[in-house]
Amino acid sequence: MTTILSPQALPSLPVINHGHATPLTNGYTHQESPERTARSTHSESSGELLTMPQTDHDRPEITPPARSHTSAELNGASTRRPNVQVGFADEQADSNGIPERPRGQLQRANTEGNFRRRSPPARRAASEEIWEMRHGWEDQYNSSEYLTLLSSAFYMYYTDKRHETGGRPKEEDHNCPPIEWRMKDRLKTVSAALAICLNIGVDPPDVVKTNPSAKLECWLDPTATTAGSSKVMEQIGKKLNEQYETLSIRVRYKLYLDPSVDETRKFCTSLRRNAKEERVLFHYNGHGVPLPTPSGEIWVFNRNYTQYIPVSLYDLQLWLGAPSLYVYDCSHAGNIIANFDKFVQKHEAENAEAKAQDPNVQLQQYSDNIQLAACGKSESLPTNPDLPADLFTCCLTTPIEISLRFFLLQNQLPTDLALKDVMKVPGKLQERRSPLGELNWIFTAVTDTIAWNTLPRDIFRRLFRQDLMVAALFRNFLLSQRIMRCYGCHPMSVPVMPETHDHPMWESWDLAMEMVLAQLPQLRVAEEGGMAYEYQHSSFFAEQLTAFEVYLNQGAPGQEAPAQLPIVLQVLLSQVHRLRALILLSRFLDLGPWAVNLALLIGIFPYVCKLLQSAAQELKPVMIFIWARILAVDSSGQSDLIKENAYQYFLHILNPATALPVGNSSEHRAMSAFIIAMFCRKFHQARVVCLQSEDLLKTLIHHLKDPENPLLRQWSCLLISMLWTDYPEFKWKGIKESAHQRLCEMALDPVPEVRAAALHALNNFLGIPDITDMIRQHEESIASAILPMTADSNAMVRRELLVFFSSFVTRYQQKFLVAAYEQLLEEREKLIDPDNAATNSSGHRRGQSNSSNEEGNDEPVSHNSVQGSVWKHILVMSVDAHPEIAQDAGTIVDYVHEALLKSPLGDKTRPIIEEMSKISQRTAALSRQSSATPVSRNLQSASPAPRPLPRNESYLSIGMRRTASVAAALKHLAIGGATAPDGGVNGANRASAPNGGPQQRGPRARVPAEWSQPPGERDHTTTSAAYGSAKIPTTRGFKPHDPAETPKLPLKSWFFEWAIEYFREPQMRPNEGEEPGSDDYNARLWRRVRNEKTLSMTQPLKGVAGTSKWDIPNGFFNNGSQPAKMCFHQFEDHLAIADDKDNICIWNWQQSNRLSRFSNANPPGTRINETRFINEDDQALLMTGSSDGVVRIFRNYESKENIEVVTAFRALSDIVPSNKNAGLVLDWQQGQGKLLVAGDVKVIRVWNAATEICTNDIPARSNSCITSLTSDQVAGNVFVGGYGDGAIRVFDQRLRPQQAMVKCWRNHKQWITNVHMQRGGFRELVSGSRNGEIKLWDIRKDEPLRTVRATKDTLRTLAVHEHAPVFATGTDRHTLNLHNVNGTFLNSLEPYSSFLHNVRSTPIAATAFHPHRMMLACSALNSNHINLFGCCQL
């Protein structure tokens, strides 16, 4: 088991290189990659933890599995799912009683470095040569302790549940649909007629009795007494009444002894009249009357007992009606069942006819009937004298006694027990600790289990969970099937019961009886006052719980219902086994909604409701867990919680002062908060009773500060949200406690789910009916406090923010109409006079245009108002990079604009929109004409015009969102088709800016102009694809709005439903990818072996590469558009190529096959600046950065059909979109989970992938743009930036932002083309400027270690191999030069270009080394072709 330390565990360690020195054949020592040995994983709780095992490198080739997408850890509240503990006593795993969540033994692959043998550190150090690493990191590298810490684990990013689902709740699971486990029509048997037709002393004419014959009726012998027949009948009837009372004492029983036909009619009609719509029981003992007729008639007597009178089923049904329960204890009873339905249909037909004649007539029901018959149509009851004559009745009413008698009769072993002894088992049926009570308890569990495993679920619910009398009779009916079958009878029933006589559970029942009978003699002696004897209880329940535990340990294969589930239910009745049963039950419920549905179906709910009344401390944690799982699947238990104040159980646990007998008490308090939240959801009465709890809100505010458990913080927010929903009284209480202010402070919580939950609560805070000045101030303060969250990089948080904005807009709609109108005036002013508008873009004063004269020169009404600021942010979000955010924000914009047109300002608004539309179209046409070169004009006639990105928006918002700027928050933001391909007005303005424009002063004015400009400043490509020409990926589950549909506000939040799913997912077992033997585990194991094979194959080649020529062609293919950026995957045969606009192609370079092509969706006039693969050790994602400041991440990037957007956010909000200058540059730190972003801005922004917020804004310390970023990939603290003015600065993230710059080199005087720090090797830091100078640095020194004049021409590209001591430079003369880090020239290359182009005039456009292989990819300007070259000796 690996140990994972947090970043804070090693605060004082400097950047460390984890490499391994291996002597090379060319005379110098090469440093092995640190990431091959270890990778820093000290990121904050992040993504998915990937652990992989050590494997042999010589294992055979393994066929790659299909790409799986289920290996990510889906997490609801935090990026790493906390351990869930519901076990106690023997289930405890440590001193605190917290069983650790099981983890797979699959450890991570040591990747991105060189292969080395795994020898002990001491032995390894003795055999290695002495070497020196750059930057003074060799001392730390030799620290075996730090090596172990860094290599222990590896985190995956952007693979959490919030990324997999996009924050959307799952659709209904068709494999496990919700069930209705509550009986809507819960019938109960209220009355019973016990008709006994014995006519003692007179045998019926058609019955021939054997001699000896069965005599016992209700365990009484009618012939053994001298009393009269009437007295005996009374005794038998009384005994039968007592036997039925053991089944259900609440039923009103009425005895009818040898009834006449008139009495039968009277008591049957009276029975139905008194029962009304409830069920009645009709028990018929026909041992003293003729057999039922073939037509199903039963027999009774005349008034004088001189004749047998038949009673037809038609009459019996007419008298009893339905619902009814019939028990027939007589021979040939099957005739009754065979004819019963025929007469029911006749009654139904008569009802239909009567209904047709009079629709209002009151009709008797006949269709709901249950029947139990002793035997088939031609079968006779057994006459064995050892058996009672009413064997069927005994099975139904005294199952324990008849079972013991049957066991002795079937037992072939000698015994001293007589048949009469089995009737003397001590104890009572209701006392479970007595022998008789324990047998009855076991019998109930056995028969319930047999029924559960043999009956369909609906039949099981109807017969065993609806009516206590029906359930008891059918349990005993199963016994009758087993016993009477041995004597030639086959009991029948309606509904039909399957044959269960050979079920394996009967063997357990036999064993239980045998254990009691074996102790019976000693028990009898002790009962009679003899030697004391302690009864040895049965091990039945303990063994069945063990079997259930085995089932759980196997992982519930195939989601098959466990056979022991009914037994677990019965065990809850016993204090001895209750705790263990609850723990196992909680493990079962943790398997998912299907398990919860099964538990509810079996009848678990009444038991867990009753246990809430228990004060036992040890039961509280497990009860919390069980209730959380139940309410996550079925929230119908709200009314049950309010009964007898059961909800107080969980309110008490929420109190921080309440002690819980577990270590992870905050986890269980989070579950309690979830339970109360579900209790209050859409249940006003629950909110009312919670309001009476004085300390509840204070407790929740206290939990908002919990530093350890984000799940507790999240559900504290959501519970507050549920309490505030449509309940002003609780909102006033929240104002009194300043709860809304505390929630606003959660805007910077490190967990995105917590931030979203806080927004959900604040949204429900809005809506107090009377908007007083105090209420308005509170609501506006909330809106202003959460405005910075528009820059949150998590799409789920931004969407919850939009939901809040939509509610805020509807609440203050009139103010937003004014803000929207004034924004339109400002936009029109910018279009009419851009120069004047640029100086007034902040909105402090209005120019003297016609529009301002019309409206006057007064300050805008919405200026400095909260509504005005919110409106501008909504406009910004309407062009968000995330498609769902842009669509939802667009809905708000369209709604406001439509309302504006319908308002009194509508007459003034329409001319403004029309004028803006005309100006925008005219400006766009002029921009296209002025920017078109002769070559591009010729191309325009041959190729279709670039089409704008598809957007579903109404005509009302098109004019607004297609202008040159939409909000002061993003100055000059180019949107959609209104921007010229070269940047339009914005690009022109930027050309003269001090960030690298052509107007230069000082020393830089004396160098060639192209040396002080971006690489592509003057390029005119003729091979570019059109913007939006490829498929634009969307997020998972994205559904475009119907343009014809009228926008509606407020937006609906689905965050609460999404958060509930956390409690529906398994928490106590490993994820699929960590379970040995699972598909995901095997796929990861295969990838790990493949990665190790790649490392072991390429490691010996890296030293030779520094002295060999790189001129062997390894591939050649046509990309279809101008390549601008390229990136190799470390282990997959994937090459990502971005062109100079918005298209990305994924190639299999091994097969020269294009796998996919898609659009990055950056707006026209911008380009893709960066491409990176992340999570390369497992299933990689593709990260892109474009010059509009947006970072996008794609999954399934290699699939044409399945590619999806994982996330997209604006990493730089102040950048000016352009395809000139530096745009956006980034560097991804996989070990730290950090994204460094810079470019045409004054800061270097650090984004944390785990928290998805900006954690640091480090001043760039220069007026020049940043052209390149690189960082140490091991510890991740030091990074280096190259600037447009030639400066190179070194930063340390461990210092304060103002002091983070620790070194500045100004040896370069021109634009820095690239600066790169190797991941492995000597960790060389290489920089190159536009004049062709290459410099190698050590961050400890003030001067470069070496300067190499790579070319006399303009340097267009610089690529450095991650591990080999080689770098490649591309020039504007179509030449690619390769050197080693010593400055030795290796060789020169000229990539292939079409014969139609002048080769010398086509500069190198892009170069990239493979991270491990000795391979170089390159391409030239105005050529779509990609050339791959390798090292000649390799």
Side-chain angles (χ1 to χ4, degrees):
M1 183 70 68
T2 57
T3 302
I4 304 170
L5 267 66
S6 63
Q8 294 77 10
L10 301 167
S12 60
L13 288 176
V15 182
I16 296 178
N17 178 10
H18 298 278
H20 178 65
T22 53
L24 303 180
T25 57
N26 58 354
Y28 71 94
T29 304
H30 176 61
Q31 169 67 29
E32 189 178 38
S33 168
E35 298 182 14
R36 174 65 183 86
T37 306
R39 177 178 297 168
S40 172
T41 58
H42 304 297
S43 59
E44 296 181 6
S45 149
S46 148
E48 176 186 359
L49 174 62
L50 171 65
T51 55
M52 306 291 281
Q54 307 298 333
T55 58
D56 298 327
H57 303 292
D58 56 353
R59 65 174 56 191
E61 191 83 18
I62 301 177
T63 304
R67 185 180 178 99
S68 171
H69 301 281
T70 61
S71 61
E73 177 175 338
L74 301 181
N75 180 5
S78 64
T79 49
R80 184 144 46 103
R81 183 175 294 152
N83 295 330
V84 179
Q85 190 258 351
V86 296
F88 313 92
D90 56 347
E91 295 288 320
Q92 293 177 342
D94 57 18
S95 59
N96 295 325
I98 307 176
E100 293 292 334
R101 178 182 179 180
R103 292 282 184 183
Q105 299 301 313
L106 207 62
Q107 299 179 0
R108 67 169 291 262
N110 290 321
T111 57
E112 297 186 0
N114 300 330
F115 172 79
R116 63 185 176 89
R117 296 179 180 175
R118 303 182 184 278
S119 55
R123 293 178 55 192
R124 191 168 60 241
S127 60
E128 291 175 357
E129 294 186 9
I130 299 177
W131 48 269
E132 180 181 358
M133 187 184 294
R134 300 290 184 222
H135 322 302
W137 293 337
E138 63 275 0
D139 293 338
Q140 291 78 19
Y141 169 72
N142 288 329
S143 170
S144 60
E145 178 182 357
Y146 195 57
L147 277 174
T148 303
L149 292 174
L150 293 180
S151 62
S152 59
F154 177 72
Y155 286 100
M156 310 294 289
Y157 297 93
Y158 297 104
T159 57
D160 297 324
K161 179 186 174 182
R162 61 178 180 268
H163 303 115
E164 294 289 338
T165 63
R168 288 179 174 269
K170 297 177 183 177
E171 296 182 358
E172 181 178 324
D173 191 353
H174 298 287
N175 296 326
C176 187
I179 62 169
E180 182 57 45
W181 55 272
R182 293 180 185 267
M183 303 299 296
K184 292 183 178 180
D185 301 325
R186 190 176 182 87
L187 298 176
K188 58 181 179 180
T189 303
V190 296
S191 301
L194 308 180
I196 306 175
C197 301
L198 293 180
N199 197 14
I200 297 174
V202 180
D203 292 334
D206 56 353
V207 175
V208 178
K209 293 186 177 180
T210 62
N211 189 19
S213 180
K215 298 179 182 180
L216 298 180
E217 296 282 352
C218 295
W219 301 106
L220 295 176
D221 185 356
T223 64
T225 178
T226 58
S229 60
S230 59
K231 189 68 173 179
V232 174
M233 282 291 295
E234 290 178 4
Q235 293 176 356
I236 293 174
K238 184 178 179 181
K239 189 68 173 177
L240 179 62
N241 189 94
E242 293 175 354
Q243 292 175 185
Y244 263 107
E245 285 181 346
T246 61
L247 304 183
S248 178
I249 197 172
R250 296 183 179 181
V251 178
R252 298 188 299 270
Y253 299 99
K254 186 68 174 177
L255 290 172
Y256 297 97
L257 308 177
D258 292 339
S260 66
V261 64
D262 293 333
E263 290 175 340
T264 303
R265 176 178 55 81
K266 289 180 180 179
F267 74 69
C268 285
T269 54
S270 175
L271 201 66
R272 171 49 56 198
R273 182 172 58 253
N274 295 333
K276 298 180 181 180
E277 300 298 326
E278 298 291 347
R279 180 178 284 117
V280 297
L281 168 64
F282 177 74
H283 178 95
Y284 174 71
N285 183 325
H287 297 173
V289 293
L291 301 176
T293 65
S295 60
E297 297 171 311
I298 61 174
W299 298 88
V300 291
F301 304 94
N302 64 355
R303 181 174 298 181
N304 299 323
Y305 297 97
T306 59
Q307 292 180 341
Y308 298 106
I309 307 298
V311 177
S312 70
L313 287 178
Y314 179 87
D315 293 335
L316 190 62
Q317 294 171 0
L318 181 64
W319 301 336
L320 288 174
S324 297
L325 171 59
Y326 298 87
V327 177
Y328 314 119
D329 189 355
C330 58
S331 299
H332 293 199
N335 284 328
I336 306 175
I337 290 182
N339 293 276
F340 194 90
D341 287 343
K342 178 174 62 176
F343 293 101
V344 170
Q345 295 171 5
K346 186 176 181 179
H347 282 294
E348 294 293 340
E350 293 174 353
N351 281 351
E353 183 178 350
K355 193 75 173 178
Q357 295 177 358
D358 183 5
N360 298 323
V361 66
Q362 297 294 325
L363 300 175
Q364 175 69 52
Q365 299 299 320
Y366 300 97
S367 57
D368 187 6
N369 297 287
I370 299 175
Q371 303 176 73
L372 300 175
C375 57
K377 293 191 294 183
S378 59
E379 295 176 346
S380 297
L381 296 179
T383 58
N384 188 332
D386 294 328
L387 298 173
D390 60 344
L391 178 60
F392 186 61
T393 299
C394 289
C395 289
L396 295 182
T397 58
T398 56
I400 307 303
E401 290 82 353
I402 193 64
S403 293
L404 292 171
R405 179 178 288 258
F406 176 73
F407 179 80
L408 280 184
L409 291 175
Q410 298 295 315
N411 184 20
Q412 299 179 0
L413 298 177
T415 177
D416 296 332
L417 293 175
L419 289 177
K420 60 181 181 179
D421 293 333
V422 299
M423 304 297 292
K424 301 176 182 179
V425 175
K428 297 182 180 179
L429 291 175
Q430 294 76 18
E431 297 177 358
R432 297 189 184 92
R433 300 300 292 172
S434 67
L436 186 61
E438 187 177 61
L439 278 179
N440 186 58
W441 185 24
I442 295 174
F443 177 79
T444 302
V446 167
T447 50
D448 259 12
T449 302
I450 294 174
W452 169 256
N453 289 285
T454 56
L455 292 178
R457 297 290 179 251
D458 56 338
I459 300 296
F460 176 84
R461 291 175 58 216
R462 180 189 174 194
L463 300 182
F464 289 83
R465 292 296 180 263
Q466 187 182 62
D467 186 347
L468 292 178
M469 175 63 78
V470 174
L473 288 176
F474 269 91
R475 288 192 195 101
N476 302 341
F477 179 80
L478 299 179
L479 177 65
S480 71
Q481 283 185 323
R482 185 192 189 206
I483 293 178
M484 299 188 70
R485 182 183 180 88
C486 296
Y487 301 99
C489 290
H490 297 81
M492 300 177 64
S493 68
V494 176
V496 178
M497 297 289 287
E499 292 292 338
T500 60
H501 63 279
D502 56 350
H503 196 279
M505 286 301 297
W506 289 122
E507 297 179 4
S508 299
W509 172 235
D510 290 340
L511 177 61
M513 289 190 295
E514 185 176 7
M515 292 179 64
V516 171
L517 293 176
Q519 303 178 70
L520 186 57
Q522 295 89 337
L523 291 172
R524 291 299 307 279
V525 171
E527 190 177 26
E528 293 173 357
M531 183 181 298
Y533 180 77
E534 183 180 355
Y535 173 66
Q536 301 297 319
H537 293 280
S538 173
S539 60
F540 171 81
F541 289 107
E543 292 169 353
Q544 294 300 319
L545 287 179
T546 301
F548 186 50
E549 187 174 7
V550 171
Y551 165 87
L552 294 173
N553 292 338
Q554 291 176 347
Q559 295 188 358
E560 182 180 353
Q564 299 80 17
L565 196 56
I567 299 175
V568 176
L569 194 67
Q570 290 293 323
V571 172
L572 295 180
L573 300 173
S574 169
Q575 292 185 355
V576 176
H577 303 289
R578 181 176 296 163
L579 180 58
R580 183 186 178 195
L582 285 173
I583 293 173
L584 294 178
L585 178 62
S586 65
R587 289 180 56 189
F588 176 69
L589 298 181
D590 187 62
L591 295 177
W594 68 272
V596 176
N597 285 335
L598 285 177
L600 293 175
L601 192 63
I602 197 67
I604 195 69
F605 192 78
Y607 291 79
V608 295
C609 283
K610 192 69 174 178
L611 286 174
L612 290 180
Q613 301 176 10
S614 172
Q617 283 290 108
E618 66 274 9
L619 296 183
K620 287 185 176 180
V622 68
M623 287 300 298
I624 295 170
F625 188 92
I626 290 174
W627 268 93
R629 263 54 193 177
I630 291 176
L631 291 179
V633 176
D634 192 323
S635 60
S636 63
Q638 294 168 311
S639 58
D640 299 275
L641 282 175
I642 212 168
K643 295 176 182 176
E644 300 180 4
N645 295 329
Y647 67 93
Q648 293 285 354
Y649 188 91
F650 305 104
L651 289 180
H652 180 68
I653 293 173
L654 263 179
N655 193 327
T658 303
L660 288 174
V662 289
N664 55 343
S665 59
S666 61
E667 176 78 12
H668 289 79
R669 289 194 172 92
M671 287 187 250
S672 296
F674 164 75
I675 292 169
I676 299 300
M678 294 298 294
F679 172 56
C680 296
R681 185 189 183 201
K682 300 179 182 179
F683 191 36
H684 180 72
Q685 191 175 357
R687 303 187 196 108
V688 173
V689 297
C690 287
L691 181 62
Q692 300 171 3
S693 176
E694 296 294 332
D695 298 332
L696 176 57
L697 192 57
K698 294 180 181 179
T699 297
L700 295 176
I701 294 174
H702 171 79
H703 289 321
L704 293 179
K705 304 175 183 178
D706 187 286
E708 298 178 356
N709 196 318
L711 190 66
L712 178 57
R713 300 198 301 271
Q714 174 187 341
W715 279 104
S716 296
C717 292
L718 291 177
L719 176 51
I720 295 174
S721 178
M722 291 298 102
L723 293 171
W724 280 347
T725 303
D726 301 327
Y727 195 34
E729 288 80 359
F730 223 112
K731 296 178 184 179
W732 282 109
K733 189 172 183 179
I735 293 175
K736 181 180 178 181
E737 300 291 342
S738 301
H740 59 292
Q741 297 178 9
R742 303 287 81 78
L743 289 170
C744 289
E745 296 172 0
M746 308 298 289
L748 295 179
D749 192 276
V751 178
E753 288 83 355
V754 178
R755 302 197 295 272
L759 288 172
H760 192 280
L762 292 172
N763 177 59
N764 284 331
F765 177 80
L766 301 177
I768 296 179
D770 299 328
I771 306 180
T772 63
D773 289 341
M774 184 181 69
I775 295 300
R776 179 181 54 80
Q777 292 175 3
H778 283 303
E779 293 181 346
E780 289 182 350
S781 67
I782 292 173
S784 61
I786 63 177
L787 275 179
M789 298 183 76
T790 55
D792 198 297
S793 70
N794 183 266
M796 185 173 62
V797 175
R798 298 203 302 277
R799 192 186 186 280
E800 285 303 307
L801 181 63
L802 279 177
V803 173
F804 175 89
F805 284 164
S806 67
S807 300
F808 194 67
V809 166
T810 55
R811 188 159 172 82
Y812 300 96
Q813 181 168 323
Q814 298 303 318
K815 293 186 177 182
F816 276 96
L817 295 182
V818 174
Y821 176 73
E822 292 180 347
Q823 181 67 31
L824 287 173
L825 292 176
E826 181 180 341
E827 296 296 336
R828 184 181 67 175
E829 183 177 323
K830 292 179 181 179
L831 288 174
I832 295 175
D833 190 1
D835 295 333
N836 184 42
T839 61
N840 303 327
S841 60
S842 61
H844 291 293
R845 60 187 179 89
R846 189 175 292 277
Q848 300 299 321
S849 63
N850 294 335
S851 61
S852 62
N853 291 333
E854 293 173 2
E855 303 300 327
N857 296 324
D858 296 336
E859 192 76 14
V861 176
S862 63
H863 177 61
N864 286 337
S865 69
V866 174
Q867 287 78 12
S869 299
V870 170
W871 179 243
K872 291 180 183 292
H873 281 79
I874 293 174
L875 291 174
V876 172
M877 297 179 77
S878 69
V879 291
D880 194 274
H882 197 280
E884 289 187 358
I885 304 302
Q887 179 172 265
D888 290 338
T891 299
I892 302 177
V893 172
D894 291 347
Y895 175 88
V896 173
H897 282 166
E898 285 194 7
L900 180 61
L901 290 177
K902 296 176 182 178
S903 70
L905 291 174
D907 294 337
K908 296 182 179 181
T909 303
R910 287 188 182 88
I912 296 176
I913 293 179
E914 293 175 359
E915 182 181 2
M916 291 171 61
S917 180
K918 293 178 181 179
I919 295 175
S920 296
Q921 294 175 4
R922 185 166 59 251
T923 304
L926 292 175
S927 299
R928 287 193 295 268
Q929 293 177 5
S930 62
S931 62
T933 61
V935 175
S936 62
R937 288 194 183 100
N938 295 334
L939 290 175
Q940 288 176 2
S941 61
S943 60
R947 60 180 177 88
L949 299 180
R951 294 179 186 269
N952 295 325
E953 52 192 346
S954 71
Y955 73 95
L956 297 172
S957 61
I958 291 178
M960 177 65 195
R961 283 190 273 171
R962 296 304 186 197
T963 55
S965 73
V966 295
L970 282 181
K971 304 177 181 64
H972 311 295
L973 178 60
I975 305 171
T979 307
D982 62 348
V985 176
N986 297 331
N989 291 339
R990 292 290 297 172
S992 59
N995 289 0
Q999 299 178 5
Q1000 302 289 339
R1001 295 192 178 99
R1004 295 184 61 188
R1006 297 189 293 269
V1007 302
E1010 60 271 16
W1011 288 1
S1012 302
Q1013 296 174 358
E1017 181 73 22
R1018 298 185 177 183
D1019 292 344
H1020 298 286
T1021 60
T1022 61
T1023 59
S1024 298
Y1027 280 98
S1029 60
K1031 173 185 176 181
I1032 300 179
T1034 60
T1035 55
R1036 181 174 295 177
F1038 175 72
K1039 296 179 180 179
H1041 286 174
D1042 185 0
E1045 184 178 342
T1046 303
K1048 298 179 181 179
L1049 293 187
L1051 299 174
K1052 181 181 178 182
S1053 171
W1054 53 66
F1055 176 76
F1056 190 87
E1057 289 75 11
W1058 178 85
I1060 292 173
E1061 293 178 355
Y1062 174 83
F1063 294 99
R1064 297 174 185 165
E1065 298 163 354
Q1067 306 294 326
M1068 294 193 293
R1069 61 179 179 138
N1071 293 320
E1072 184 72 12
E1074 300 170 356
E1075 192 73 53
S1078 67
D1079 291 342
D1080 285 351
Y1081 183 95
N1082 292 337
R1084 283 185 169 178
L1085 180 60
W1086 178 89
R1087 285 189 288 269
R1088 195 261 183 222
V1089 174
R1090 181 222 33 210
N1091 298 351
E1092 292 285 359
K1093 182 179 179 181
T1094 299
L1095 298 175
S1096 61
M1097 179 180 65
T1098 57
Q1099 169 62 27
L1101 310 179
K1102 296 173 182 177
V1104 184
T1107 58
S1108 304
K1109 292 185 177 182
W1110 293 62
D1111 56 1
I1112 302 300
N1114 282 344
F1116 176 78
F1117 44 86
N1118 189 339
N1119 187 57
S1121 59
Q1122 174 63 58
K1125 295 291 180 181
M1126 296 187 292
C1127 181
F1128 281 98
H1129 191 290
Q1130 290 191 62
F1131 305 109
E1132 302 281 356
D1133 297 333
H1134 294 167
L1135 173 62
I1137 303 174
D1139 66 12
D1140 56 344
K1141 286 187 169 58
D1142 69 332
N1143 299 296
I1144 299 175
C1145 295
I1146 306 298
W1147 286 83
N1148 184 317
W1149 55 263
Q1150 195 78 262
Q1151 302 176 0
S1152 298
N1153 176 36
R1154 190 172 74 181
L1155 302 177
S1156 66
R1157 179 175 181 265
F1158 58 93
S1159 170
N1160 189 57
N1162 47 289
T1166 63
R1167 59 187 170 88
I1168 302 172
N1169 288 112
E1170 300 281 359
T1171 58
R1172 294 285 193 279
F1173 287 107
I1174 67 175
N1175 301 343
E1176 292 175 275
D1177 277 16
D1178 194 51
Q1179 293 181 342
L1181 305 175
L1182 180 65
M1183 175 186 290
T1184 65
S1186 51
S1187 59
D1188 58 347
V1190 171
V1191 171
R1192 293 175 176 85
I1193 299 177
F1194 302 91
R1195 75 164 62 86
N1196 305 332
Y1197 57 83
E1198 78 286 1
S1199 172
K1200 298 178 182 178
E1201 296 80 13
N1202 301 323
I1203 183 173
E1204 296 172 340
V1205 175
V1206 177
T1207 188
F1209 62 96
R1210 194 171 297 279
L1212 295 177
S1213 56
D1214 299 326
I1215 197 170
V1216 178
S1218 172
N1219 62 355
K1220 308 297 181 182
N1221 296 333
L1224 175 145
V1225 295
L1226 60 83
D1227 190 49
W1228 166 251
Q1229 296 179 341
Q1230 180 71 48
Q1232 290 289 324
K1234 292 181 180 179
L1235 179 65
L1236 310 177
V1237 185
D1240 292 331
V1241 289
K1242 307 303 180 186
V1243 296
I1244 302 168
R1245 189 155 290 169
V1246 182
W1247 291 90
N1248 189 306
T1251 63
E1252 298 190 64
I1253 57 176
C1254 177
T1255 58
N1256 221 350
D1257 271 350
I1258 300 176
R1261 306 287 291 271
S1262 174
N1263 289 328
S1264 179
C1265 62
I1266 298 177
T1267 65
S1268 179
L1269 279 177
T1270 188
S1271 63
D1272 168 36
Q1273 290 291 330
V1274 179
N1277 296 318
V1278 174
F1279 67 90
V1280 181
Y1283 289 72
D1285 59 0
I1288 297 176
R1289 290 178 172 84
V1290 183
F1291 299 86
D1292 193 330
Q1293 297 184 61
R1294 294 168 293 188
L1295 303 177
R1296 297 177 57 188
Q1298 293 76 11
Q1299 302 171 350
M1301 193 191 78
V1302 296
K1303 183 76 69 175
C1304 179
W1305 296 306
R1306 298 185 181 274
N1307 301 70
H1308 289 292
K1309 302 302 180 183
Q1310 291 79 34
W1311 181 282
I1312 299 298
T1313 300
N1314 191 18
V1315 58
H1316 186 82
M1317 179 182 292
Q1318 287 183 313
R1319 296 183 181 182
F1322 275 104
R1323 312 299 304 285
E1324 298 286 3
L1325 177 60
V1326 183
S1327 65
S1329 60
R1330 293 279 282 156
N1331 65 349
E1333 284 188 352
I1334 306 297
K1335 296 181 183 294
L1336 279 73
W1337 306 89
D1338 190 308
I1339 62 174
R1340 298 169 296 177
K1341 301 183 182 299
D1342 295 331
E1343 297 297 327
L1345 300 177
R1346 186 175 296 106
T1347 299
V1348 180
R1349 186 70 178 183
T1351 179
K1352 296 181 180 179
D1353 301 318
T1354 301
L1355 183 68
R1356 296 295 298 257
T1357 65
L1358 169 63
V1360 182
H1361 199 284
E1362 294 289 1
H1363 304 284
V1366 179
F1367 62 87
T1369 56
T1371 71
D1372 62 350
R1373 302 290 292 171
H1374 198 71
T1375 302
L1376 195 65
N1377 300 321
L1378 286 101
H1379 298 74
N1380 64 22
V1381 293
N1382 293 329
T1384 304
F1385 175 78
L1386 299 180
N1387 64 289
S1388 179
L1389 297 171
E1390 291 189 1
Y1392 168 82
S1393 290
S1394 172
F1395 68 92
L1396 297 177
H1397 295 86
N1398 184 358
V1399 172
R1400 290 297 178 184
S1401 65
T1402 55
I1404 300 298
T1407 54
F1409 278 105
H1410 192 285
H1412 297 296
R1413 299 178 185 271
M1414 304 303 109
M1415 182 179 297
L1416 172 67
C1418 59
S1419 66
L1421 190 66
N1422 294 324
S1423 175
N1424 299 338
H1425 298 89
I1426 306 297
N1427 294 262
L1428 301 180
F1429 295 96
C1431 188
C1432 64
Q1433 296 186 13
L1434 308 179

